[in-house]
Amino acid sequence: MTQTATRPELSVPATVAIQDNDAAVVDVAALGEQLLGRWAASRRTARALAGDPAVHKIEGLSSSEHRARCLEQLHHLVKSKAVHRAFPEELGGSDDHGGNIAGFEELVVADPSLQIKAGVQWGLFGAAVLHLGSEEHHRAWLPGIMNMDIPGCFAMTETGHGSDVASIATTATFDPDADEFVLHTPFRAAWKDYIGNAAQDGRAAVVFAQLITRGVNHGVHAFYVELRDELGNFLNGIGGEDDGLKGGLNGIDNGRLHFTQVRVPRTNLLNRYGNVATDGTYTSPIDSPGRRFFTMLGTLVQGRVSLDGAAVAASKLALKTAIQYSVERRQFTTASELSEEVLLDYQLHQRRLLPRLAATYAASFAHEELLEKFDGVFSGEHDTDEDRQDLETLAAALKPLSTWLALDTLQECREACGGAGFLTENRFTSLRADLDVYTTFEGDNNVLLQLVAKRLLADYAKEFQGVDFGVLARFVVTQAAERTLHRTGLRQVLQSVVDTGSERKSAIALRDERTQHELLCGRVDSMVGELAGALRGARRLPPADAAAVFNQHQQELIQAARAHAELLQWEAFTAALANTLDAGTRQVLTWLRDLFGLCLIEENLSWYLMNGRLSAQRARTLGPYINRLLLKIRPHAVDLVNAFGYGPEHLRAAIATGAEQKRQDEARENARAMRASGHAPVDEKTVILRKAEADKRSQRA
Amino acid sequence: MTQTATRPELSVPATVAIQDNDAAVVDVAALGEQLLGRWAASRRTARALAGDPAVHKIEGLSSSEHRARCLEQLHHLVKSKAVHRAFPEELGGSDDHGGNIAGFEELVVADPSLQIKAGVQWGLFGAAVLHLGSEEHHRAWLPGIMNMDIPGCFAMTETGHGSDVASIATTATFDPDADEFVLHTPFRAAWKDYIGNAAQDGRAAVVFAQLITRGVNHGVHAFYVELRDELGNFLNGIGGEDDGLKGGLNGIDNGRLHFTQVRVPRTNLLNRYGNVATDGTYTSPIDSPGRRFFTMLGTLVQGRVSLDGAAVAASKLALKTAIQYSVERRQFTTASELSEEVLLDYQLHQRRLLPRLAATYAASFAHEELLEKFDGVFSGEHDTDEDRQDLETLAAALKPLSTWLALDTLQECREACGGAGFLTENRFTSLRADLDVYTTFEGDNNVLLQLVAKRLLADYAKEFQGVDFGVLARFVVTQAAERTLHRTGLRQVLQSVVDTGSERKSAIALRDERTQHELLCGRVDSMVGELAGALRGARRLPPADAAAVFNQHQQELIQAARAHAELLQWEAFTAALANTLDAGTRQVLTWLRDLFGLCLIEENLSWYLMNGRLSAQRARTLGPYINRLLLKIRPHAVDLVNAFGYGPEHLRAAIATGAEQKRQDEARENARAMRASGHAPVDEKTVILRKAEADKRSQRA
C-alpha cells in the first residue's frame, strides 16, 4: 500500500519579479485583533495584568528571593481574579477552558516562573482535583486551592521515570482494616522529582502511585496527600529535598518527595475513574486499564496546550525586540560614505529573522486551532474519545515545534543583537534560560513526536493500531491500542494528497498555495507509507527482534511526525489567510505564509530531490526565490511584529525603546559636522588621502 | 574559470555490513595523550589547577559575590604561576605562546568567567602592552599587569561599533604644547561598551581611539590610560557605568567607559606601529594605514584561538557527562519485561550524541593545528605576513564552528538528560549560559566567516584581492586589500580537488577517505567558483549597485566559508589518524571520522544532489549507512569520552558520578523481588491479567 510519489512540476523563473501588489500595507490593528483570536478578551485582561510591575521578573534576585516573590505573586493573581476561569461556576470560576489557557499563557511575558508556578497550582494540582476527584473532593479542597490557602504539588514524575509515567514505582496499598491507603516509596529511583512547590511551599499534593488492593495492582491512580503542617514541616513519613538551582525558572521551588508508609484516608483517592470500596473491592467506569490510565492522564494535556501558547508568546517578544533594533542599528558602510546600513537590510539578517517570524505566525495560528480543540473537549461540546485523542495528538505535535522554535528564535535574536543581545536588560538570555525546560517537561518533545508518529501509523493502516514493538514508549503504544480507527482530523490531511495529487501534474509555481500543500502533504504521506512498509513485518517477529526493527527507524518516525506537525502549522496559517479581510494585510501574510512553506521545503530539500518530487533544476530556483520573498517582506517586518500587540511594559528591553535610533542619529549628526569641518574621524579612505597629502607636504617641506 | 563539477560515483550496498575490525578496542590512555597534543605538559598543569575547588565556579552567587570571587581567583592564578607563560623571560615569563594558550583555555572547566577575566587581564590588556608597546612600556607596566597590581581593561568596542573596529569614534588628539594626547568621547554611541574589568576592577586600560595629529586622522591606535585612583574612583574626565547582569559570565564586571577631554602623556601611545614626535609628526614602520591597522589588531587573534580551544573543552565536558549518563539511565522496556533499555541503545540517542562527539573530535584536532600555527607566528618561527594572514583566516574559520558546536552540544546533552539536564548541579545550563557570548565576541561568528569567504575569493582569483563591495565588513575588505596572492594553506585545499578529481570517476564507497575528501573539497571549490562568477561583474558597478550584488550573495558567502572550515576540520581529523599508532584506536577513530564526514555530507545533501555530485539512489544509502556507523561506534562511546581525560574534579556533574547506575541497580533488584513475590508494581500486562483473574474471582463469588 505504499503511495506512488506524485511529482508536481514547478516553474519559478529565477529572474522574473513576483507579480503581487507591491504597494500592500498591513492593517496593524486588524491583524492584531486577528492574532488575539477568539479569546481576545481573556488575552487583553491577562496582558494588562502582565504589564503590572508587581508581577514582573526582577533579574538578579537570589533563588530564595525569587521564590518568595513568585509565591506572593500567586496571591496577587488570586486577588486579581486572574486564575479561576477554568473552575466551576458554583465555586467562583466561570467554566471557561479556552479563555483560561489563553489568559494563563500570556503570563509568560511577566515571568515564566510565575506562569509555571501558577500552572502547577491551578493547572496541574487544582485541575487534578477538579478532573479526577468527586464533587465531595471539589467542595473539600478546591476553595483552598483556588484561593491559595493550600499551595500544592502535582507529584507524578519520579527520578527513575519521567516520560514513562506507567512505570512509576510509588505504591498506594489499601489497608481495609484501617480504611486507609498506605503510600510508600520503595527505593531511591521512585522518589518524586522535579516537583514544583515540593521544596518549600507545598502544603498538599496530588500523588500518583500504583493502586494495590486485595493483592492486585490496578495501575497508576491519583491520591490527595497532605505534606506539611502549618509551620511548613513535613508530616510523619514524608521527606524530601530541594532540587536546587536550575537552568531557569528559579522562582519555582522544585524538589523531591518520598513517602515511608504514609497513611491517608481511603476517600483521599481521587476516584472519578477508579474507586475502592471499604472492603477493598476495586471498581471503575472504564474497564480497560490502559484507557483508564490515559483518561486520567488526559488532564495533563492542558499543560502542553499552554506551553505551546507560552512558547509562541516568547517568540513574539523576541522578534519584536530584535526586529525593532534591526531597523535602527547600523553597521558597516556600503553605498554611502556617511550612512551605515541598518541591519535588516543585510540579506543575512533577513535570513536570520524573517523565516523565524513566519514560523512564529504559523505557530500562533496553529495554537489558536489547538485552543479551539481544547475548549471543545473540556467544555464538553466536542468530547468524544476521538476528540480527546485528536486533542492529545495535536498538542503532542505542536508543543515540540513551538518550544524548540522559541529557543531557536530567542538564541538567533540574541546573536543577531550582538553584545547587546547578551545583556540581561534585553531579556533574550533570561527568557531563553526559563523556556529551555519547556522542551522536555509536560512530555519530552521527542517522546511526544513518537506518540504522533504512532498515531500516523495507526491512521495509515489498521494493522498498526494495536502494535507493540516495545521501543516506542509504552505510553504511546498503550494509548494507540485502545482507540478505534476513524477518519477525522489527521487522516483527512493524508487523504487530501490523494485527492489533489492526480489533478495537479502540470507546471505550477512554488508560490502556488496548492503546490506547497501538495509538496508538504506528499512528504508526510510518503514517509508514513514507507515506514509502514518497513515496520509491517516486525509484528510477527519475537519481541527483541521487533524492537530492533523499530529502533532502526526511530529517527524516521520522529522526522515523519515533525513533517506532519509542520504541515498542520502551514494549514493553520493558510486557513487564517481566509479570515484576513484587509487585502493589503492578506497580501503580506500570504508572502509570509509562502516564506514559511518554502523554508520548510528548503530545509528538507534533499528529501524532495531523492524522492523525485523536485528536479535539481527547480530546486536551484528555491533559494533565490526565498531571497526575493525576504525583500518583499522586509518593508513590513516592523508592522508584522507590532501586530503582536506587546507594549513596552511587556517587552521591557532596553534596545527596543528607540534608544539605538537616538544614538545613531546623534552619531550621524556628529559625523556630518566633523566631515563638514574637514575632519572625519572614522573614514578609512580619507585617512589614506590625507596621509598622501601629508606625505606630499612633508616632501615639499 | 568556473570549475567543472566532478562526479564521484558512490556505491554503498545498503545491507552489507561494513568490513572492518569489529573487535577493535580503544587504547584510552594513548588516545588521551594524542588529544593532549604538543602542549600536553601545559594542559596537565592547567587541569591540575582547574581541578582545585579554589577556582571552581560556585553556582547561585550574586553577581557581586561572583565578581569578588573571580578577582580573588586572578590573584590565585598569579601565585600559581599559571598565567605568565606568554610574557618575556626577562620579566618572569617563558615566551611560550602555544603552551600559554593551551593552558589558558583549560581554565574554562573551572569557571568560564575566570577564564575570560584572566583573558582580559593578560591576553588582551597585557598582550596589548606587550605587542603594541615599546620596551619602555613593558618595563613600566608589565610587571604590575602580570602580578595584578594593575587590573586593566581592553577598551576597544563601542556601543555603536562592535565588529567594525575601524569605525570607532573615540578620538585621541595630540596637543604639542602640552605634549599630551587628549582622549575624547564625542557622543553616546562612542562610549566603550561591554568592556571587561571596566565596571569595577579596572585601574587602567588600553584604549583604542582615532589618532589625530596636525589635523590628520591616522586611524585607530592604542593608548595606555589610567582609569581609577587607589580608592577605585574614576579619575578626572573619566566616567562609566556597569553593563549589569548578563546571560552568563557574571563573574566579570563588564561596563562602559567614556572620556571627556582626558589628557595622557604623549608617551602613553603604544607606539610600536605608529609614533608621534613632540612636534606632532606621525611616523610608522608600516606605510599603509590598512596594513598597520590589521597588524595592530593582530594581537586579537590569540583571543579567538583560545575561545576555539575553550569551546572544544566545554563540548568535551558535556559529552562525557551525557554519554556516561546515557549508558546508565534506562527508560521504557523493549525486549525484556524486567530490564529497560539504556538510553544510548536507542537510535535517536545515538543520532543526538555521537555525531556531536565526532564533531568535537574534529574540532579538537583542528584546534591543535591552529595552536601550532599560532605558536609559529607568535614565537617568530614562522612569522611572515602570509603566516599571519593564514593564522587570522584559520582562527576566523574555526572559532565560529567550535563555539556554535559547544552551544549546540551543551543544549542537546541537556535535553538528552531530560529534567536532570536542566538542574544546575549537572552543569549543562551553566556552561551554556557562560559560553553563549563566545559566538559573538572576539569577532562575531558571521562576520568572521565573511572574512574567510573574502579570503577564499581572493585566493580563487586575483581579481578579488582588492575588491571593495562595501557590504562585507570594512574589516574584511581592507585586510584582503593589503595582502599578496600566495599558494599556501587554504589554496592548497582548493587545489587538491583538481588534483584528485579526474582520477576518481569510478564507483567508490562513501567510507572511502578520498571520496569524502573529494565531496567536501568539491563543494567548497564549486561554491567559491560560483560566487566568483556571480560577483565578478560587480566591481565595475557604482558602489550602491555593487553593494546590492554582494548583499544578494551574503548567505552563500557564509555557507562557502562554513563549508571550507568544515573541510579543514575533516582534514585535521584525517591527519590525526595517521598519528594514531594503535590499530584498534585508529579503527574506531576512523569510524568516527567517517561519521563526521558523512554527517557533513548529509547536512548538505541537497547541494550534492542539485549539483549532480550524488545520484538520488546513492544519496538514499547515506542515512542507513550513517545509522550502521553509529552502531559500530556505540560500544566505544564511553572510551572515546574517557580519552578526553577529564576527571570528576572537572566534570562536577551529579549524573556523571555513577549515582544513576546505583539507582537503576536498586530499582531492578526491587522489581525482581516484587515479581518473585508475585506482586509486580509496574507491569501493565500483569495488571490486565490480574484484573481478569480478579473479575473471574468476583464472578465466581
Side-chain angles (χ1 to χ4, degrees):
Chain A
M1 212 175 109
T2 307
Q3 305 283 312
T4 316
T6 60
R7 298 182 61 133
E9 270 308 301
L10 306 173
S11 77
V12 184
T15 51
V16 172
I18 300 168
Q19 305 282 321
D20 288 319
N21 175 10
D22 286 348
V25 171
V26 173
D27 180 340
V28 175
L31 178 55
E33 202 57 38
Q34 186 177 359
L35 286 166
L36 285 172
R38 176 170 153 195
W39 289 278
S42 279
R43 288 195 192 281
R44 281 215 175 78
T45 307
R47 287 186 185 187
L49 177 70
D52 179 353
V55 293
H56 290 171
K57 181 176 182 181
I58 296 178
E59 302 289 351
L61 292 184
S62 69
S63 84
S64 59
E65 290 164 336
H66 193 187
R67 285 176 176 189
R69 181 172 166 85
C70 275
L71 179 61
E72 203 176 292
Q73 288 170 335
L74 255 58
H75 289 285
H76 180 81
L77 293 183
V78 171
K79 276 183 222 128
S80 312
K81 300 185 189 308
V83 282
H84 295 159
R85 289 189 198 92
F87 289 95
E89 274 188 37
E90 60 269 28
L91 292 168
S94 46
D95 288 312
D96 177 5
H97 298 275
N100 178 57
I101 298 294
F104 169 66
E105 62 200 22
E106 294 287 343
L107 291 180
V108 76
V109 311
D111 181 351
S113 284
L114 172 62
Q115 191 218 358
I116 299 300
K117 196 171 170 89
V120 168
Q121 177 67 16
W122 296 292
L124 291 172
F125 175 54
V129 172
L130 176 64
H131 295 296
L132 304 181
S134 62
E135 285 193 16
E136 212 164 318
H137 294 138
H138 296 178
R139 278 192 299 273
W141 298 314
L142 283 185
I145 292 172
M146 289 169 70
N147 72 12
M148 276 292 287
D149 281 351
I150 316 173
C153 308
F154 184 80
M156 177 184 274
T157 297
E158 297 178 355
T159 305
H161 288 100
S163 296
D164 183 7
V165 178
S167 297
I168 59 169
T170 303
T171 52
T173 310
F174 183 59
D175 173 1
D177 297 335
D179 203 30
E180 289 173 336
F181 282 100
V182 183
L183 275 95
H184 188 65
T185 307
F187 42 79
R188 174 61 188 83
W191 284 24
K192 298 297 176 185
D193 206 345
Y194 318 111
I195 310 297
N197 281 341
Q200 225 169 276
D201 299 331
R203 289 277 309 282
V206 168
V207 177
F208 288 80
Q210 307 282 347
L211 186 160
I212 298 167
T213 179
R214 292 183 162 189
V216 176
N217 181 343
H218 290 277
V220 175
H221 287 67
F223 300 83
Y224 186 91
V225 181
E226 294 193 0
L227 295 179
R228 288 183 171 89
D229 63 20
E230 303 274 324
L231 299 169
N233 300 312
F234 275 130
L235 300 177
N236 251 352
I238 297 174
E241 55 186 36
D242 199 315
D243 271 324
L245 280 177
K246 305 180 296 289
L249 295 186
N250 281 304
I252 307 166
D253 55 317
N254 291 82
R256 305 179 179 117
L257 295 171
H258 55 82
F259 306 92
T260 308
Q261 311 290 349
V262 171
R263 290 182 166 264
V264 300
R266 180 179 57 86
T267 51
N268 277 26
L269 167 64
L270 299 176
N271 60 349
R272 180 161 166 198
Y273 297 111
N275 194 27
V276 171
T278 49
D279 68 349
T281 312
Y282 180 85
T283 52
S284 169
I286 305 175
D287 273 347
S288 151
R291 202 174 139 221
R292 188 190 313 138
F293 176 63
F294 289 105
T295 304
M296 287 197 276
L297 257 59
T299 53
L300 270 175
V301 77
Q302 70 179 319
R304 288 175 197 154
V305 174
S306 60
L307 292 186
D308 184 55
V312 172
S315 294
K316 288 175 178 173
L317 282 186
L319 287 163
K320 163 65 187 166
T321 297
I323 286 178
Q324 184 67 45
Y325 185 64
S326 76
V327 298
E328 295 178 6
R329 175 77 171 178
R330 293 173 184 275
Q331 283 292 277
F332 297 115
T333 54
T334 59
S336 152
E337 289 291 327
L338 259 181
S339 184
E340 295 165 302
E341 300 299 303
V342 297
L343 293 182
L344 198 56
D345 283 333
Y346 288 104
Q347 182 187 63
L348 176 67
H349 224 79
Q350 293 166 8
R351 271 269 179 185
R352 294 171 85 172
L353 298 183
L354 299 184
R356 288 173 174 89
L357 178 63
T360 298
Y361 263 85
S364 185
F365 290 127
H367 175 66
E368 183 72 11
E369 292 196 1
L370 174 59
L371 215 49
E372 288 274 3
K373 189 90 201 158
F374 170 79
D375 188 72
V377 167
F378 277 68
S379 70
E381 274 178 53
H382 305 282
D383 188 20
T384 64
D385 269 12
E386 288 175 23
D387 286 322
R388 285 191 172 254
Q389 284 158 13
D390 284 352
L391 170 61
E392 288 278 357
T393 311
L394 195 57
L398 296 181
K399 179 260 187 184
L401 260 57
S402 58
T403 53
W404 276 327
L405 174 66
L407 292 198
D408 172 61
T409 299
L410 283 159
Q411 182 64 22
E412 198 67 35
C413 288
R414 123 77 193 118
E415 291 184 33
C417 294
F422 192 58
L423 299 186
T424 305
E425 65 177 25
N426 292 316
R427 285 187 77 207
F428 300 119
T429 55
S430 171
L431 278 168
R432 197 207 165 282
D434 286 332
L435 267 79
D436 183 350
V437 76
Y438 286 37
T439 60
T440 52
F441 74 5
E442 306 271 342
D444 177 281
N445 282 358
N446 281 303
V447 173
L448 293 179
L449 288 176
Q450 288 175 75
L451 188 154
V452 174
K454 192 68 189 60
R455 172 71 186 276
L456 288 171
L457 282 173
D459 281 354
Y460 182 85
K462 231 174 178 163
E463 180 183 358
F464 287 98
Q465 283 175 74
V467 78
D468 183 359
F469 291 116
V471 168
L472 267 193
R474 174 182 299 126
F475 185 70
V476 178
V477 171
T478 315
Q479 184 176 56
E482 302 301 332
R483 54 179 295 284
T484 54
L485 184 70
H486 58 89
R487 297 273 155 190
T488 60
L490 304 162
R491 181 60 199 165
Q492 283 176 333
V493 169
L494 294 182
Q495 204 61 40
S496 60
V497 184
V498 183
D499 297 343
T500 62
S502 53
E503 300 163 14
R504 308 195 51 76
K505 304 239 175 197
S506 59
I508 18 175
L510 284 169
R511 62 180 293 214
D512 184 279
E513 188 168 293
R514 282 196 290 179
T515 307
Q516 289 174 33
H517 194 227
E518 217 164 281
L519 286 168
L520 295 171
C521 279
R523 181 158 176 256
V524 176
D525 191 35
S526 168
M527 288 174 97
V528 173
E530 267 193 44
L531 274 167
L535 299 174
R536 181 155 290 139
R539 205 180 175 185
R540 285 178 294 274
L541 298 175
D545 298 341
V549 171
F550 225 112
N551 197 23
Q552 279 163 26
H553 296 278
Q554 192 184 20
Q555 205 208 8
E556 293 159 50
L557 281 163
I558 288 169
Q559 284 171 338
R562 200 185 163 96
H564 172 70
E566 290 164 344
L567 170 62
L568 294 178
Q569 289 184 323
W570 185 93
E571 290 183 316
F573 201 154
T574 301
L577 294 177
N579 298 323
T580 308
L581 303 180
D582 176 67
T585 307
R586 193 169 56 243
Q587 173 68 84
V588 174
L589 278 193
T590 302
W591 291 331
L592 201 65
R593 192 276 323 271
D594 290 347
L595 180 63
F596 177 65
L598 297 179
C599 284
L600 289 178
I601 293 165
E602 190 183 48
E603 275 164 36
N604 301 296
L605 195 52
S606 64
W607 187 91
Y608 290 100
L609 287 159
M610 284 193 289
N611 290 276
R613 305 299 173 102
L614 284 176
S615 69
Q617 211 180 338
R618 298 282 179 234
R620 286 180 72 101
T621 67
L622 185 58
Y625 186 82
I626 287 173
N627 291 339
R628 294 207 308 287
L629 261 179
L630 293 173
L631 288 174
K632 295 189 87 70
I633 295 166
R634 157 72 185 89
H636 306 284
V638 171
D639 282 347
L640 288 167
V641 292
N642 283 343
F644 293 150
Y646 290 111
E649 73 280 20
H650 304 120
L651 298 172
R652 305 195 303 279
I655 53 170
T657 58
E660 181 63 22
Q661 187 66 52
K662 226 173 108 187
R663 281 195 293 267
Q664 294 284 347
D665 291 346
E666 187 196 5
R668 240 189 318 175
E669 201 42 59
N670 194 289
R672 203 170 280 131
M674 294 286 272
R675 182 169 295 269
S677 72
H679 191 180
V682 292
D683 184 70
E684 178 80 4
K685 282 186 189 160
T686 313
V687 173
I688 299 171
L689 285 172
R690 291 188 175 209
K691 171 78 169 65
E693 283 166 30
D695 288 351
K696 258 190 225 164
R697 270 200 306 276
S698 70
Q699 278 166 4
R700 262 183 259 132
Chain B
M1 211 176 107
T2 306
Q3 305 283 313
T4 316
T6 61
R7 298 182 61 132
E9 270 308 303
L10 304 174
S11 78
V12 184
T15 51
V16 172
I18 300 169
Q19 305 282 320
D20 287 322
N21 176 10
D22 286 348
V25 170
V26 173
D27 181 338
V28 175
L31 178 55
E33 202 57 38
Q34 186 177 359
L35 286 166
L36 285 171
R38 176 170 154 195
W39 289 278
S42 279
R43 288 196 192 281
R44 281 215 175 80
T45 307
R47 286 186 186 189
L49 177 70
D52 180 351
V55 293
H56 290 171
K57 180 175 183 182
I58 295 178
E59 302 290 350
L61 292 183
S62 70
S63 85
S64 60
E65 291 164 337
H66 193 185
R67 285 176 175 187
R69 181 171 166 85
C70 274
L71 179 62
E72 202 177 291
Q73 288 170 337
L74 255 58
H75 290 286
H76 180 80
L77 293 183
V78 172
K79 277 183 222 130
S80 312
K81 301 184 189 309
V83 282
H84 296 158
R85 290 189 198 92
F87 289 96
E89 272 185 38
E90 61 267 28
L91 292 169
S94 46
D95 287 313
D96 176 6
H97 300 275
N100 178 58
I101 298 293
F104 168 66
E105 62 201 20
E106 292 288 342
L107 291 181
V108 77
V109 309
D111 181 352
S113 284
L114 172 62
Q115 191 218 357
I116 299 301
K117 194 169 170 93
V120 168
Q121 176 68 15
W122 296 293
L124 291 171
F125 175 55
V129 173
L130 177 64
H131 295 296
L132 305 180
S134 63
E135 285 191 18
E136 213 163 319
H137 295 138
H138 296 178
R139 279 192 299 274
W141 299 312
L142 283 185
I145 292 171
M146 288 169 69
N147 71 13
M148 277 292 287
D149 282 351
I150 316 173
C153 309
F154 185 82
M156 176 183 275
T157 298
E158 298 178 354
T159 304
H161 287 99
S163 297
D164 183 7
V165 178
S167 297
I168 59 170
T170 302
T171 52
T173 310
F174 183 59
D175 172 2
D177 297 335
D179 202 31
E180 289 172 336
F181 282 101
V182 183
L183 274 95
H184 188 66
T185 306
F187 42 78
R188 174 60 187 85
W191 284 24
K192 298 296 176 186
D193 206 345
Y194 318 110
I195 309 297
N197 280 341
Q200 227 168 277
D201 300 330
R203 290 278 307 283
V206 169
V207 177
F208 288 80
Q210 306 282 349
L211 188 159
I212 298 166
T213 179
R214 291 183 162 188
V216 175
N217 182 342
H218 291 276
V220 176
H221 287 66
F223 301 82
Y224 186 92
V225 182
E226 294 193 1
L227 296 179
R228 288 183 170 91
D229 63 20
E230 303 274 324
L231 298 170
N233 300 313
F234 276 130
L235 300 176
N236 252 351
I238 297 176
E241 56 186 35
D242 199 316
D243 271 325
L245 279 178
K246 305 181 298 287
L249 296 185
N250 281 304
I252 307 164
D253 55 316
N254 292 81
R256 305 179 178 117
L257 295 170
H258 54 83
F259 307 91
T260 307
Q261 311 288 350
V262 172
R263 290 182 166 264
V264 299
R266 179 180 57 87
T267 51
N268 277 26
L269 167 64
L270 298 177
N271 60 352
R272 181 161 165 197
Y273 298 110
N275 195 28
V276 171
T278 49
D279 68 348
T281 312
Y282 180 85
T283 54
S284 169
I286 304 174
D287 274 346
S288 151
R291 201 174 140 221
R292 189 190 312 138
F293 176 63
F294 289 105
T295 304
M296 288 197 276
L297 257 58
T299 54
L300 270 176
V301 79
Q302 69 180 320
R304 287 174 198 156
V305 174
S306 59
L307 292 187
D308 185 54
V312 172
S315 295
K316 288 176 178 174
L317 282 185
L319 286 164
K320 163 66 186 165
T321 297
I323 286 178
Q324 185 66 46
Y325 185 65
S326 76
V327 297
E328 296 177 7
R329 175 78 171 176
R330 294 173 183 275
Q331 284 291 279
F332 297 114
T333 53
T334 57
S336 151
E337 289 290 327
L338 260 180
S339 184
E340 296 166 301
E341 301 298 302
V342 298
L343 294 182
L344 199 55
D345 284 332
Y346 288 103
Q347 183 187 62
L348 175 67
H349 225 79
Q350 293 167 7
R351 271 271 179 183
R352 295 171 85 172
L353 298 183
L354 299 184
R356 289 172 174 90
L357 177 64
T360 298
Y361 263 86
S364 185
F365 290 128
H367 175 66
E368 183 71 12
E369 292 195 1
L370 174 59
L371 215 49
E372 288 275 2
K373 190 91 200 161
F374 170 78
D375 189 73
V377 167
F378 276 69
S379 70
E381 273 177 55
H382 304 282
D383 188 19
T384 63
D385 270 13
E386 288 174 24
D387 286 322
R388 284 189 174 257
Q389 283 157 14
D390 284 351
L391 171 61
E392 289 276 358
T393 311
L394 196 57
L398 296 182
K399 180 260 188 186
L401 260 57
S402 59
T403 53
W404 276 326
L405 174 66
L407 292 197
D408 173 59
T409 299
L410 283 159
Q411 182 64 22
E412 198 68 35
C413 288
R414 123 81 194 113
E415 290 184 34
C417 294
F422 191 60
L423 298 186
T424 305
E425 65 177 26
N426 292 317
R427 286 186 77 207
F428 299 120
T429 54
S430 170
L431 278 168
R432 199 209 164 280
D434 285 333
L435 266 80
D436 183 350
V437 76
Y438 287 37
T439 61
T440 51
F441 75 3
E442 306 272 341
D444 176 281
N445 282 357
N446 281 302
V447 173
L448 292 180
L449 287 177
Q450 288 175 78
L451 186 154
V452 174
K454 191 69 188 62
R455 172 71 186 277
L456 288 171
L457 283 173
D459 280 354
Y460 182 86
K462 233 174 176 161
E463 179 184 357
F464 288 98
Q465 283 176 75
V467 79
D468 183 359
F469 293 116
V471 168
L472 267 194
R474 174 183 298 128
F475 184 70
V476 178
V477 171
T478 316
Q479 183 178 56
E482 302 300 334
R483 53 178 296 283
T484 54
L485 185 69
H486 57 89
R487 298 272 155 190
T488 60
L490 303 163
R491 181 61 200 164
Q492 282 175 335
V493 169
L494 296 183
Q495 205 62 40
S496 59
V497 184
V498 183
D499 297 342
T500 62
S502 53
E503 301 163 14
R504 308 196 51 76
K505 303 239 176 198
S506 58
I508 20 175
L510 284 168
R511 62 178 293 213
D512 185 281
E513 188 168 295
R514 282 196 290 180
T515 307
Q516 289 172 35
H517 195 228
E518 216 165 279
L519 286 168
L520 296 171
C521 278
R523 179 155 178 259
V524 177
D525 191 36
S526 169
M527 288 174 96
V528 173
E530 266 192 43
L531 275 166
L535 300 174
R536 180 155 290 139
R539 204 181 175 184
R540 284 177 293 275
L541 298 173
D545 298 341
V549 171
F550 225 112
N551 197 24
Q552 278 163 27
H553 296 277
Q554 192 184 21
Q555 203 208 9
E556 292 159 52
L557 281 163
I558 287 170
Q559 284 171 338
R562 200 186 162 95
H564 172 70
E566 289 164 344
L567 170 62
L568 294 178
Q569 290 184 323
W570 185 94
E571 290 184 316
F573 201 155
T574 302
L577 293 178
N579 298 324
T580 308
L581 303 180
D582 175 67
T585 307
R586 194 170 55 245
Q587 174 67 83
V588 175
L589 279 192
T590 302
W591 292 331
L592 201 64
R593 192 277 323 271
D594 290 348
L595 180 63
F596 177 66
L598 297 179
C599 284
L600 289 178
I601 293 166
E602 191 181 48
E603 275 164 36
N604 301 295
L605 196 51
S606 63
W607 186 92
Y608 289 100
L609 286 159
M610 284 192 290
N611 290 276
R613 304 300 172 101
L614 285 176
S615 68
Q617 210 181 337
R618 298 281 178 237
R620 286 180 71 102
T621 68
L622 185 57
Y625 186 83
I626 287 173
N627 291 340
R628 293 206 308 286
L629 261 179
L630 294 173
L631 288 174
K632 296 189 86 69
I633 295 166
R634 157 71 184 91
H636 307 285
V638 171
D639 282 348
L640 288 167
V641 291
N642 283 343
F644 293 149
Y646 290 110
E649 73 278 21
H650 305 119
L651 298 172
R652 305 195 303 280
I655 53 170
T657 59
E660 181 64 20
Q661 187 65 54
K662 225 173 110 187
R663 280 195 294 266
Q664 295 284 348
D665 291 345
E666 188 196 3
R668 241 187 320 172
E669 201 42 61
N670 193 290
R672 204 171 278 132
M674 294 286 272
R675 183 170 293 269
S677 72
H679 190 181
V682 292
D683 185 71
E684 178 82 2
K685 282 186 188 160
T686 312
V687 173
I688 299 172
L689 284 173
R690 288 183 179 216
K691 172 80 169 63
E693 280 166 32
D695 288 352
K696 259 191 224 162
R697 267 199 309 277
S698 69
Q699 279 166 0
R700 262 184 258 130

